[in-house]
C-alpha cells in the first residue's frame, strides 16, 4: 500500500468517526501514519500492518495506560465496525468479542 493509499484510507475513516468521537486525527508521517481516536473516555490507534490494519484499544485515557487489546483486521470496514463496537460497548459486559 502506498503512502497516498494509507492517507486516503485513514483520512476517510477519520472523517466518518469524527461524527461520533471527540478526536479522530492522523498522526505520524509516511507509511508510519496512524489514526488516533478518542470516544467515550476510550482510545484507539489504527495503523497499517502488512496486508491488514493493526488496532490498539485503550479503556483509559491515562498516559501510562497499556492497551486492553490489540487486533489485526483485514479491511478498514472491519476496523470501523470494531472501533464502533468498542467505543459504544456496555462496559459492565466487558469488551466486545470482535475487538
Amino acid at each position: 500500500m502506498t503512502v497516498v493509499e494509507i492517507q486516503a484510507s485513514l483520512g476517510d475513516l477519520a472523517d466518518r468517526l469524527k461524527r461520533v468521537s471527540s478526536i479522530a486525527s492522523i498522526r505520524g508521517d509516511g507509511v508510519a501514519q496512524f489514526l488516533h481516536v478518542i470516544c467515550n473516555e476510550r482510545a484507539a490507534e489504527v495503523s497499517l500492518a502488512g496486508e491488514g490494519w493493526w488496532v490498539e484499544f485503550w479503556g483509559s485515557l491515562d498516559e501510562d495506560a497499556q492497551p486492553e487489546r490489540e487486533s489485526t483486521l483485514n479491511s478498514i470496514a472491519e476496523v470501523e465496525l470494531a472501533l464502533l463496537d468498542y467505543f459504544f460497548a456496555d462496559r459492565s459486559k466487558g469488551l466486545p468479542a470482535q475487538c
Side-chain angles (χ1 to χ4, degrees):
M1 186 171 273
T2 68
V3 172
V4 172
E5 292 170 323
I6 295 168
Q7 284 178 316
S9 294
L10 293 177
D12 290 345
L13 180 57
D15 288 343
R16 288 190 302 277
L17 292 173
K18 284 178 183 175
R19 298 178 201 146
V20 296
S21 66
S22 56
I23 293 175
S25 62
I26 298 174
R27 299 178 178 180
D29 295 311
V31 294
Q33 288 185 339
F34 64 96
L35 176 62
H36 177 75
V37 185
I38 295 176
C39 183
N40 289 335
E41 298 186 34
R42 294 179 177 187
E45 290 184 355
V46 178
S47 58
L48 186 64
E51 298 297 315
W53 296 94
W54 181 46
V55 185
E56 291 181 292
F57 302 90
W58 283 273
S60 169
L61 299 181
D62 293 337
E63 288 187 30
D64 296 336
Q66 295 296 313
E68 287 185 300
R69 197 178 251 171
E70 300 172 11
S71 294
T72 301
L73 302 168
N74 295 319
S75 69
I76 282 290
E78 288 179 15
V79 170
E80 184 172 4
L81 289 174
L83 290 174
L84 293 172
D85 284 349
Y86 180 70
F87 290 136
F88 295 101
D90 181 347
R91 290 179 192 230
S92 67
K93 296 179 183 177
L95 296 177
Q98 54 271 63
C99 285

